[in-house]
Amino acid sequence: SRFFLTNQPVRSTIRVEVDGVELPKTAASGTVNWSYDFGTNSVNFTPFAVPEPGAELFVRYTAECLE
């Protein structure tokens, strides 16, 4: 349910795809599907939104520029 990122993302650019379909951060009903945790640099899925075993998951984002 937790997927660690390799770089710090620009938070507003994070997009999550499961099996080629974008999974919105919040469903139309207002239920949260996933969140970003700055402290662990990870995307965390809520229990009902965890991808099925074997699902293809992509987390796309723009990396934060560190100078």
Side-chain angles (χ1 to χ4, degrees):
S1 66
R2 177 178 288 181
F3 296 87
F4 296 95
L5 306 180
T6 55
N7 295 300
Q8 286 287 349
V10 175
R11 291 182 198 189
S12 64
T13 67
I14 299 172
R15 301 289 180 266
V16 175
E17 294 179 12
V18 178
D19 290 333
V21 177
E22 186 169 349
L23 180 65
K25 185 174 185 174
T26 305
S29 64
T31 306
V32 175
N33 290 321
W34 58 269
S35 61
Y36 172 70
D37 184 316
F38 181 80
T40 60
N41 194 38
S42 64
V43 169
N44 303 306
F45 289 88
T46 55
F48 60 88
V50 174
E52 294 292 323
E56 186 173 59
L57 172 70
F58 285 100
V59 179
R60 301 181 194 281
Y61 58 90
T62 300
E64 188 76 56
C65 292
L66 303 175
E67 295 182 27

